[in-house]
Amino acid sequence: MARGENGRAEEEKEVRAPLLAAARRVPRKNSVNSMRGEFVARLPEKVKRGVDPESPFTIDVSRTRDLLEGEKEYYEKQFATLRSFEEVDSLNTPNVIDEALDLEEQRQSEFAMKISNYANIALLALKIYATVRSGSIAIAASTLDSLLDLMAGGILWFTHLSMKNINIYKYPIGKLRVQPVGIIVFAAVMATLGFQVFVQALERLIENKPVDKMTSGQLVWLYSIMLTATFVKLALWLYCRTSGNKIVRAYAKDHYFDVVTNVLGLAAAILGDKFYWWIDPAGAIILAIYTITNWSGTVWENAVSLVGQSAPPEMLQKLTYLVIRHHPRIKRVDTVRAYTFGVLYFVEVDIELPEDLPLKEAHAIGESLQIKIEELPEVERAFVHLDFECDHKPEHSILVKLPSTQA
């Protein structure tokens, strides 16, 4: 019995051992494939069952047995780390950029934005008519949403055009930060709409005055317009959500939101007309709260991307692996730092080279490292600092307040 318990304790100790720690002892010349081979060889048998032989950088934890949730998460992270290292090694392979494919993707993105704007114009006109005919505050909320859709669509379209037209003397690092700024403005407008609708619906409830019932003709128009708007927005959402362009995905999020608001608005208007009048303003309040919550989160997400938040540990691991394996003359890595400055990361790397290394060779190592880091899809710009020792103070200080001349 004691032997069985000891055996299980040894197995648990083996499962929880930091298997990738061996990577620190692997010579620089070895690739991620050799690291993976050693890593998989040291896995417990119950974990090896989940490794896909045809995709050696993937583990299916559902095929493993007797693993705790924390252990499953641990191994998934380890394999994700190996996959990121594989991506780094693939940067050494020559990559031919398909300009035709890039232009086609850009054309599809612009087409998605154009049809979204045209649809918003048409649906706004239809919803204004439906609001006038029905008198429903829930439908009015949906109509105001369409009005702001048009305004916000204009903001996003302007953002897209602004990013394409760059004056390198006025904007020396480009205008990618226009994208999150445009999305923040877009989301803030939508959240403001939600608050206005919330106030109006609350006033309707406080007044406690039932509205007149809709006629059969009004109901027909209401059904026709709102269902048409819902199906159009659903189709646009399905089309836009597959885009790799973040602005188009913002359109997709708005289209999905419109599907929800159209359905809830129509349901509230019909139920309020058929049963209890207060269902209509109550539905409008629900829509308003949903609007405020949804778009406030979008504002926060994009605002954080502009304030220099550090990249997650997985990204820093990936960068460190890239730097360590870049060149055999790199003696030590002093600093690897990555932080948001818009959609993508800015990266700062400090490396130690031999003191007697010629400037020409040192520059070649640093420049090639910068180029390789900037090839990562998550990185916008990289800064590589070369040094001959790592015992000095940090090169940059962190400001905690604006200088008096800027305050």
Side-chain angles (χ1 to χ4, degrees):
M1 181 70 178
R3 181 179 299 176
E5 291 178 353
N6 290 336
R8 181 170 180 81
E10 288 294 325
E11 185 178 5
E12 290 179 354
K13 183 178 180 181
E14 182 184 14
V15 167
R16 293 170 182 166
L19 300 179
L20 277 184
R24 292 193 290 268
R25 301 192 299 271
V26 176
R28 182 176 289 134
K29 65 180 181 179
N30 289 349
S31 67
V32 68
N33 290 320
S34 62
M35 294 173 59
R36 182 198 62 80
E38 183 175 349
F39 175 74
V40 173
R42 300 179 64 208
L43 288 174
E45 286 300 324
K46 62 181 181 180
V47 180
K48 288 182 179 179
R49 299 188 191 100
V51 179
D52 186 354
E54 297 182 357
S55 181
F57 290 95
T58 304
I59 183 171
D60 183 3
V61 293
S62 64
R63 294 167 56 186
T64 60
R65 293 186 301 175
D66 303 327
L67 286 182
L68 301 176
E69 285 300 319
E71 293 171 338
K72 292 179 180 179
E73 182 181 356
Y74 167 78
Y75 285 110
E76 286 177 336
K77 286 184 177 180
Q78 297 300 301
F79 275 89
T81 299
L82 285 172
R83 286 194 296 273
S84 70
F85 290 172
E86 182 187 29
E87 180 184 351
V88 168
D89 283 354
S90 69
L91 296 177
N92 296 321
T93 304
N95 183 27
V96 179
I97 299 176
D98 191 342
E99 294 185 2
L101 184 62
D102 187 56
L103 290 174
E104 176 64 19
E105 182 178 347
Q106 181 177 344
R107 187 193 65 79
Q108 291 179 354
S109 297
E110 292 185 353
F111 176 74
M113 286 184 272
K114 285 181 179 179
I115 61 172
S116 295
N117 289 333
Y118 294 152
N120 286 338
I121 294 173
L123 294 179
L124 174 61
L126 290 175
K127 284 188 176 181
I128 289 175
Y129 184 78
T131 301
V132 173
R133 291 295 299 267
S134 66
S136 167
I137 190 171
I139 300 301
S142 182
T143 303
L144 286 175
D145 174 55
S146 294
L147 174 61
L148 285 190
D149 282 350
L150 191 59
M151 295 171 55
I155 293 171
L156 293 180
W157 180 250
F158 170 78
T159 297
H160 174 72
L161 295 179
S162 179
M163 289 171 58
K164 290 175 60 177
N165 301 318
I166 301 174
N167 182 341
I168 62 172
Y169 301 104
K170 191 173 182 180
Y171 301 97
I173 63 171
K175 299 167 71 175
L176 289 184
R177 275 138 298 281
V178 172
Q179 178 171 305
V181 170
I183 293 175
I184 287 173
V185 174
F186 179 20
V189 170
M190 297 297 289
T192 302
L193 160 71
F195 181 74
Q196 292 175 338
V197 172
F198 177 84
V199 171
Q200 292 176 358
L202 191 61
E203 289 176 349
R204 176 76 66 87
L205 283 176
I206 293 174
E207 290 175 359
N208 195 22
K209 293 181 180 179
V211 296
D212 296 333
K213 299 288 185 179
M214 285 185 281
T215 65
S216 58
Q218 289 176 318
L219 288 173
V220 169
W221 276 105
L222 181 62
Y223 277 118
S224 301
I225 292 174
M226 296 304 294
L227 290 178
T228 298
T230 300
F231 285 121
V232 169
K233 285 292 186 175
L234 180 61
L236 288 173
W237 171 65
L238 293 173
Y239 180 76
C240 293
R241 69 172 184 157
T242 59
S243 174
N245 186 299
K246 195 167 184 179
I247 293 181
V248 177
R249 290 202 301 271
Y251 272 104
K253 185 175 182 178
D254 178 54
H255 294 323
Y256 175 79
F257 174 74
D258 284 344
V259 171
V260 174
T261 57
N262 288 341
V263 171
L264 289 180
L266 179 60
I270 298 302
L271 293 176
D273 183 72
K274 295 294 184 182
F275 300 101
Y276 303 101
W277 68 269
W278 52 263
I279 295 179
D280 183 32
I285 289 176
I286 293 174
L287 289 177
I289 294 174
Y290 177 77
T291 302
I292 295 171
T293 304
N294 191 37
W295 290 105
S296 295
T298 301
V299 170
W300 177 258
E301 176 186 346
N302 284 273
V304 167
S305 73
L306 293 171
V307 298
Q309 186 178 52
S310 176
E314 294 79 11
M315 182 64 190
L316 297 177
Q317 282 182 332
K318 182 177 180 179
L319 290 167
T320 303
Y321 175 79
L322 185 154
V323 176
I324 290 175
R325 289 180 50 80
H326 176 65
H327 198 279
R329 301 304 297 270
I330 296 177
K331 296 174 62 178
R332 286 191 291 180
V333 179
D334 184 17
T335 302
V336 175
R337 184 181 294 117
Y339 48 88
T340 58
F341 194 55
V343 180
L344 304 176
Y345 291 115
F346 272 33
V347 176
E348 297 178 9
V349 172
D350 294 358
I351 59 175
E352 179 184 341
L353 297 175
E355 186 174 355
D356 57 351
L357 190 67
L359 175 61
K360 181 178 180 180
E361 186 175 347
H363 175 269
I365 293 173
E367 184 178 41
S368 59
L369 177 58
Q370 172 197 320
I371 293 172
K372 184 181 289 187
I373 294 174
E374 290 180 350
E375 287 179 356
L376 293 173
E378 305 95 335
V379 176
E380 178 182 353
R381 182 161 292 206
F383 304 92
V384 178
H385 174 73
L386 311 179
D387 214 326
F388 62 91
E389 50 84 21
C390 294
D391 299 325
H392 55 274
K393 294 181 179 179
E395 284 80 7
H396 302 284
S397 59
I398 299 177
L399 295 179
V400 296
K401 64 177 182 178
L402 290 174
S404 57
T405 56
Q406 300 292 327

